[in-house]
């Protein structure tokens, strides 16, 4: 099974290739793009141990001269300091303007490698080889790159499109189950904001909470439809002037929960799941969305094994305060992405403080009856 999904942009269009075993073909795929001979594989120690050699062997067989740079794992290392070290490796290995950085890893690796590629020598090629479900369906596509500032996530960055996104579903076998579920949050997001049929396919699957519950065909379909949704949205609004903001569905409350729990207790995908429940309940309270459809969304989030309640150590007041500091505030108003139907959302800054308070207060785990 192989799918090629075009990301059509005014400039710098590219393809997303989804194929089982694609990692071992990376050399030939880069050769077909006529990229320069020198490449640098950027990864973290765990991913590189699993997949680094396959990639290096394939590159060598296709005649590339490859070096590698290992970044420390985790969001807290997504800093300018880490990028500085990456530049050092690029310098030591004489990477040139025609050279290519290959991001082999999850979202953090992809964002950092993309940002380094955007800035090294004023721009070298980047190829994204995502190894987490979340990066495959979201972070690796669309050219958002960047690092964190001590006072906020992704505050330093650039839009910089890759030459290719290469997805090998086989690598998901080594993905921890919690990370798999986090990626499924973004898949459900596409079902709500863009692709009703994807949502219904997910609903129809008997189980979805472990990778081994999905047969190869369903996994391919999930990857393909999610990538297609992202490619279509990015193709219509590359720099997030309007439409692309719908991809932030669930991220408004989600980011607040993620930051208030220190980016560790609740991971990004879990926070997005919680945020989608909040947004759905807000839309239902405002009578924009039918309550039964909101319930279907919440049931699907629970079905993939994601939390739907706000963790007890986070208060409604703290979430509301965090929302004010978020990038999604425009002219002092918090912007929400709200569903009107499964597969269709609107962007709204009309959510009142009362509605927000009521919905968030109701989203805590009910006390057990005594
Ligand atoms: N992850 C949202 C976007 O790429 O726009």
């Amino acid at each position: 099974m192989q799918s090629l999904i075009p990301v059509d942009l005014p400039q710098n269009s590219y393809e997303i290739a989804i194929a089982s075993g694609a990692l071992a073909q990376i050399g030939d795929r880069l050769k077909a793009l006529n990229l320069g001979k020198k490449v640098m594989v950027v990864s973290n120690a765990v991913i590189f141990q699993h997949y680094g050699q396959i990639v290096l062997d394939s590159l060598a067989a296709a005649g590339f001269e490859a070096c590698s740079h290992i970044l420390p794992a985790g969001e807290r290392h997504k800093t300018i300091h880490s990028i500085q070290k990456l530049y050092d490796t690029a310098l030591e290995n004489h990477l040139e303007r025609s050279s290519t950085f290959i991001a082999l890893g999850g979202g953090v690796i992809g964002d950092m490698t993309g940002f380094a590629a955007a800035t090294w020598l004023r721009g070298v090629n980047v190829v994204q080889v995502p190894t987490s479900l979340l990066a495959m369906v979201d972070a690796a596509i669309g050219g958002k790159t960047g690092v964190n500032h001590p006072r906020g996530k992704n505050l330093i960055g650039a839009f910089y499109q890759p030459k290719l996104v290469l997805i090998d579903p086989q690598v998901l076998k080594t993905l921890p189950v919690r990370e798999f579920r986090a990626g499924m949050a973004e898949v459900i997001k596409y079902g709500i904001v863009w692709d009703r049929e994807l949502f219904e396919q997910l609903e129809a699957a008997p189980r979805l909470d472990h990778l081994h519950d999905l047969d190869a065909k369903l996994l391919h379909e999930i990857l393909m439809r999610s990538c297609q949704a992202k490619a279509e949205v990015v193709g219509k609004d590359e720099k997030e002037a309007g439409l692309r903001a719908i991809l932030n569905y669930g991220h408004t409350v989600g980011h607040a929960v993620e930051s208030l729990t220190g980016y560790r207790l609740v991971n990004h995908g879990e926070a997005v799941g919680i945020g989608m429940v909040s947004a759905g309940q807000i839309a239902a309270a405002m009578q924009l969305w039918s309550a039964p459809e909101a319930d279907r969304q919440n049931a699907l989030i629970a079905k993939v094994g994601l939390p739907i309640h706000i963790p007890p150590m986070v208060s409604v007041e703290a979430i509301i305060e965090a929302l004010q500091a978020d990038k999604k505030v425009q002219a002092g108003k918090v912007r929400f992405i709200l569903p009107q139907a499964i597969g269709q959302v609107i962007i709204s800054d009309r959510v009142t403080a009362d509605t927000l308070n009521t919905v968030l207060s109701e989203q805590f785990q009910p006390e057990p009856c005594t």
Side-chain angles (χ1 to χ4, degrees):
M1 258 179 294
Q2 140 140 318
S3 295
L4 288 176
I5 298 157
V7 183
D8 286 324
L9 300 170
Q11 285 169 350
N12 305 318
S13 296
Y14 54 97
E15 277 183 339
I16 306 164
I18 308 173
S20 192
L23 226 54
Q25 308 157 354
I26 189 167
D28 287 340
R29 291 190 186 254
L30 258 64
K31 210 167 166 183
L33 292 171
N34 279 326
L35 301 181
K37 282 274 169 247
K38 289 190 180 183
V39 299
M40 178 161 76
V41 179
V42 183
S43 195
N44 68 37
V46 173
I47 300 292
F48 195 76
Q49 197 188 5
H50 283 303
Y51 305 113
Q53 204 54 51
I54 301 176
V55 169
L56 291 176
D57 287 349
S58 171
L59 290 167
F64 288 95
E65 227 177 88
C67 65
S68 57
H69 180 85
I70 303 301
L71 288 165
E75 188 74 36
R76 74 197 165 93
H77 296 291
K78 194 175 154 185
T79 62
I80 280 287
H81 181 69
S82 300
I83 297 289
Q84 178 65 50
K85 293 190 170 172
L86 196 159
Y87 291 149
D88 292 345
T89 307
L91 189 65
E92 282 154 20
N93 289 279
H94 311 288
L95 270 88
E96 302 155 0
R97 286 288 284 280
S98 63
S99 302
T100 304
F101 291 179
I102 298 173
L104 176 67
V108 172
I109 294 290
D111 281 8
M112 284 205 282
T113 309
F115 180 69
T119 46
W120 183 245
L121 304 180
R122 298 201 177 92
V124 297
N125 307 310
V126 63
V127 166
Q128 294 283 349
V129 186
T131 58
S132 70
L133 180 59
L134 196 144
M136 288 177 183
V137 298
D138 187 18
I141 307 162
K144 280 191 182 175
T145 73
V147 293
N148 299 333
H149 183 275
R151 289 172 60 187
K153 238 183 128 176
N154 295 329
L155 291 182
I156 306 159
F159 283 100
Y160 195 67
Q161 300 296 343
K163 295 288 179 206
L164 169 73
V165 179
L166 188 62
I167 297 177
D168 184 347
Q170 280 186 23
V171 305
L172 293 175
K173 287 189 186 128
T174 51
L175 188 71
V177 65
R178 193 171 168 203
E179 297 303 317
F180 168 75
R181 291 173 181 175
M184 287 302 289
E186 301 285 356
V187 172
I188 294 172
K189 175 189 84 177
Y190 293 120
I192 298 289
V193 305
W194 201 253
D195 186 350
R196 187 181 180 99
E197 212 173 304
L198 169 62
F199 186 93
E200 286 170 351
Q201 281 177 341
L202 296 172
E203 274 187 320
R207 291 197 59 167
L208 282 175
D209 53 344
H210 283 85
L211 178 70
H212 57 68
D213 295 328
L214 278 63
D215 62 31
K217 195 160 164 270
L218 179 60
L219 177 61
H220 192 90
E221 183 78 6
I222 284 173
L223 291 169
M224 199 194 56
R225 293 196 87 106
S226 301
C227 292
Q228 182 84 44
K230 176 105 191 214
E232 285 173 13
V233 172
V234 169
K236 289 181 197 299
D237 177 23
E238 183 182 358
K239 302 266 172 82
E240 202 169 312
L243 177 75
R244 186 166 174 168
I246 69 169
L247 300 179
N248 293 327
Y249 177 56
H251 289 57
T252 312
V253 169
H255 272 172
V257 170
E258 200 183 355
S259 76
L260 291 167
T261 53
Y263 296 102
R264 244 181 282 219
L265 189 79
V266 178
N267 70 25
H268 180 72
E270 291 163 350
V272 168
I274 292 168
M276 290 195 290
V277 174
S278 313
Q281 294 305 117
I282 290 168
M286 291 168 73
Q287 299 191 335
L288 293 168
W289 199 21
S290 77
E293 282 207 347
D295 290 346
R296 280 171 66 189
Q297 169 196 255
N298 300 348
L300 189 55
I301 294 168
K303 178 176 165 181
V304 305
L306 286 164
I308 57 170
H309 295 112
I310 298 170
M313 74 288 292
V314 176
S315 70
V316 171
E317 295 72 31
I319 295 177
I320 291 173
E321 207 181 303
L323 291 181
Q324 300 300 327
D326 194 271
K327 291 204 291 299
K328 284 175 273 314
V329 173
Q330 262 192 356
K333 292 188 169 169
V334 181
R335 263 190 322 164
F336 276 89
I337 317 303
L338 300 176
Q340 289 185 305
I342 293 170
Q344 191 190 325
V345 289
I346 54 159
I347 303 173
S348 170
D349 61 5
R350 291 172 172 224
V351 178
T352 64
D354 269 0
T355 305
L356 192 54
N357 248 301
T358 309
V359 165
L360 294 177
S361 305
E362 285 170 358
Q363 210 186 326
F364 289 84
Q365 182 101 45
E367 295 287 333
C369 299
T370 47

